[in-house]
Amino acid sequence: MHDVLVIGGGAAGFYAAIHIAESRPQTKIAILERGKEVLTKVKVSGGGRCNVTHAEFNPVDLSKNYPRGQKELLGPFHTYASGDTVGFFEERGVALRIEEDGRMFPVTNSSQTIIDCFLSEADRLGIQVKTLCSVTGIEQIKEEEGIIWKVAIGDGHMYCKKLILATGSNPKMWNYVQALGHSIVQPVPSLFTFNIKDERILDIPGVATHAEVKVIPKKNISKKKGKLKPDTAVLTSEGPLLITHWGMSGPAILKLSAWGARILEQYNYQFKIQVN
Ligand SMILES: Cc1cc2nc3c(=O)[nH]c(=O)nc-3n(C[C@H](O)[C@H](O)[C@H](O)COP(=O)(O)OP(=O)(O)OC[C@H]3O[C@@H](n4cnc5c(N)ncnc54)[C@H](O)[C@@H]3O)c2cc1C
């Protein structure tokens, strides 16, 4: 029997396991990862450099950067925020550097530095890491001493007192959680670039500029003249904009799809934009 089982060997699973092991050294912890390797997403993050955190150390201002979690994250950020993340890595010999726009990367400019830090910490703290270990079910069992968890793996089971789900965006896991009585809010895509077929940008991929971009629902387009009514824009953003081979990208576009993820889904991703 483990004290804690963590399902998912990504950044969240490792960070959780390491913090528990640090604060309760006698805890028997295992991370269960279905893949051949752990931390694969960390490896590709930030273009292979891993944008570890952001140099925004005020919890209130930090929370304003979360489109659908500002209110919910305010409390947790008062307990643990970017400054604590920086401290965590610096205490373990991983120096971070702040770039002009506030993004923070390891000075080595390599996500492998972050992976090595997590792996050596897990090893130092006696956290078991089991790869090729896919969880296919979770069940709550009420015992006299309290609740324990039965975790199905392959053709066997593991048991634990506390269970952490850190499985990223795995819909199967959401079904297991729903079966336990929790409600799931269906996710929609966010932080995506725009696919635009318009001959005005056909010949200029690679052009970058600073722009204001407005999203205007099709119903707000004058039927007679086909003109957009900019005052009826539902979303507006400003920032660097990049013309690509398939449409538009860059922070001005990514901000729109991050903040407007649910609105753009309502339009079935068919809408007009106005770029100034
Ligand atoms: C290209 C790219 C670049 C990015 N760059 C950055 C960046 O620079 N900075 C940043 O902060 N974020 C970045 N992100 C986002 C960041 O990578 C993710 O938010 C983060 O890695 C998510 O970590 P996680 O542990 O929650 O989930 P994941 O990394 O997805 O880990 C979940 C793990 O659970 C495992 N798993 C799932 N189901 C099961 C199961 N049933 N049994 C066992 N194991 C299971 C999966 O195999 C996986 O390894 C980037 C993402 C991408 C795709």
Side-chain angles (χ1 to χ4, degrees), residues 7-8 10-12 32-34 41 45-46 51 133 135 166-168 170 173:
I7 312 179
L32 314 180
E33 167 56 49
R34 68 176 169 187
K41 227 183 249 177
S45 69
N51 178 189
C133 183
V135 171
T167 44
N170 178 357
M173 196 54 69

